[in-house]
Amino acid sequence: MTVPSAPAGPPEPSRPGGEDGRASTSATGIVLEAEGLRRTFDGLTAVDGVDVRIASGEAYGLLGPNGAGKTTTISMLCGLLEPDGGTVRVAGHDLAREPAAAKSAIGYVPQEIALYPDLTARENLAFFGRLYGLRGRALADRIDAVLEVVGLAHRADDRVGTYSGGMKRRVNIGAGLLHEPRLVVLDEPTVGVDPQSRHAILESVAALSAAGTAILYTSHYMEEVERLCERVGIIDHGRMIAEGTRRDLLAELGEADRVDLVVEGEAERVAEACREITGVVDAAVADREVTLLVRHGRARLAEVVATIASAGATLTSVELVEPDLEAVFLALTGRALRDDG
């Protein structure tokens, strides 16, 4: 069973957000600062010189394909795995030299559910609260506050085993918030949940960020990252290959459109032919689907259709999508975020 981190002091006071309502980093202190993180396993480099900085009140999205080094990076940032090189500071405390103080500022919410199904939500939170050192009235008040944050006050005294998957995840998040951490690390918090619970989780995360908590958020749902995160880091093959605001990353892509094609025929041959079209930045294949990144996509559609025919395939579906983070991710890694490879 995964147990969240030790107790911490209260988050910094809330302050006005940026132009889109999310917190601006310029007027706040840095809560998480990692430099040059490295880790190898049996001679294979999993993480190679990764830097991460997150300010109070900032929601930061960490993205990467499976096997890119994302989980290893998170484990080092939370003190669950010792790095081979580099440093991590949390709320001003060096994680290697002051592990208790640094970890006390972290609320880690793992992807796995870490709850006792035979206990109620209130009893589960009481258990974790005592691990954090909370007692008496202070513990009871924090449990009530956390249940409100995750929207489960009305089900507080029901056994967790009777909850839906989404409700369990919300209690899981609550367990990581009891000690009012300065940094909350959320690892795939909405996997397998229903739309109502996903909305509740995203609203809770947005509220935490607005109140001054630093958020490190990972997800395979790009729309969640676009909705919540002010800055995004993309990691691949153990390196941070891009970082910045959504606008920064789109500028790096060159404002290319994404064209999603479904074809009958050899998709690889279609992708290879489409790469020769002027303005096509990249082409990726998944089963019968071919995804193109195309500058001025609308103007190139007729040529794309003709190229598919010349490649001996039949086009069954086409969709043009304006530039987004998914397009950036695909261009930089060559894979869609949900790819298993």
Side-chain angles (χ1 to χ4, degrees), residues 126-139:
F127 169 78
F128 285 108
R130 293 188 184 100
L131 292 178
Y132 296 144
L134 297 171
R135 297 289 186 274
R137 185 74 257 165
L139 174 58

Side-chain angles (χ1 to χ4, degrees), residues 65-295:
N66 292 339
K70 186 171 80 265
T71 298
T72 302
T73 298
I74 291 172
S75 297
M76 290 190 289
L77 294 175
C78 293
L80 302 174
L81 184 66
E82 186 175 347
D84 294 330
T87 59
V88 178
R89 294 180 65 83
V90 185
H93 301 286
D94 187 290
L95 185 57
R97 298 176 181 175
E98 308 170 85
K103 291 179 182 180
S104 72
I106 302 171
Y108 174 54
V109 181
Q111 183 174 340
E112 299 80 13
I113 300 296
L115 301 170
Y116 292 107
D118 291 333
L119 299 182
T120 68
R122 191 182 302 278
E123 289 167 342
N124 268 283
L125 293 176
F127 169 78
F128 285 108
R130 293 188 184 100
L131 292 178
Y132 296 144
L134 297 171
R135 297 289 186 274
R137 185 74 257 165
L139 174 58
D141 288 346
R142 283 303 301 153
I143 290 172
D144 288 342
V146 162
L147 287 168
E148 289 291 341
V149 168
V150 298
L152 287 173
H154 64 298
R155 295 289 303 272
D157 298 311
D158 294 341
R159 287 191 311 107
V160 165
T162 67
Y163 283 9
S164 68
M167 293 170 68
K168 290 176 184 176
R169 288 203 173 274
R170 285 149 68 183
V171 180
N172 213 42
I173 292 172
L177 303 179
L178 282 165
H179 60 298
E180 299 180 275
R182 298 278 304 281
L183 170 70
V184 174
V185 179
L186 296 146
D187 188 7
E188 303 283 354
T190 64
V191 169
V193 307
D194 57 277
Q196 182 179 358
S197 287
R198 174 172 284 116
H199 176 74
I201 289 169
L202 297 180
E203 288 292 309
S204 297
V205 174
L208 288 169
S209 177
T213 305
I215 305 291
L216 175 59
Y217 193 91
T218 77
S219 177
H220 275 76
Y221 301 103
M222 192 68 78
E223 63 273 15
E224 293 181 3
V225 176
E226 293 210 68
R227 172 177 169 179
L228 291 174
C229 300
E230 181 181 5
R231 286 192 305 127
V232 175
I234 298 176
I235 188 171
D236 195 22
H237 299 296
R239 289 181 172 273
M240 191 73 77
I241 59 174
E243 186 183 59
T245 64
R246 180 179 183 277
R247 184 176 299 174
D248 292 338
L249 295 175
L250 288 176
E252 197 168 309
L253 180 64
E255 299 292 333
D257 298 314
R258 190 177 88 234
V259 180
D260 296 331
L261 309 168
V262 179
V263 299
E264 292 286 353
E266 294 187 27
E268 287 287 355
R269 179 184 294 180
V270 169
E272 184 177 351
C274 286
R275 290 188 185 103
E276 302 300 318
I277 299 173
T278 300
V280 171
V281 177
D282 196 14
V285 177
D287 296 326
R288 294 171 49 234
E289 297 182 8
V290 179
T291 301
L292 307 179
L293 295 178
V294 190
R295 293 190 176 92

Side-chain angles (χ1 to χ4, degrees), residues 3-61:
V3 177
S5 330
E12 294 183 359
S14 60
R15 48 168 192 77
E19 63 176 278
D20 60 357
R22 290 178 295 201
S24 168
T25 63
S26 59
T28 64
I30 300 299
V31 175
L32 173 67
E33 185 171 21
E35 295 184 348
L37 288 182
R38 299 192 310 278
R39 178 73 192 202
T40 60
F41 296 97
D42 298 326
L44 298 176
T45 300
V47 175
D48 187 9
V50 166
D51 300 337
V52 180
R53 288 164 58 93
I54 307 177
S56 175
E58 179 185 13
Y60 180 99

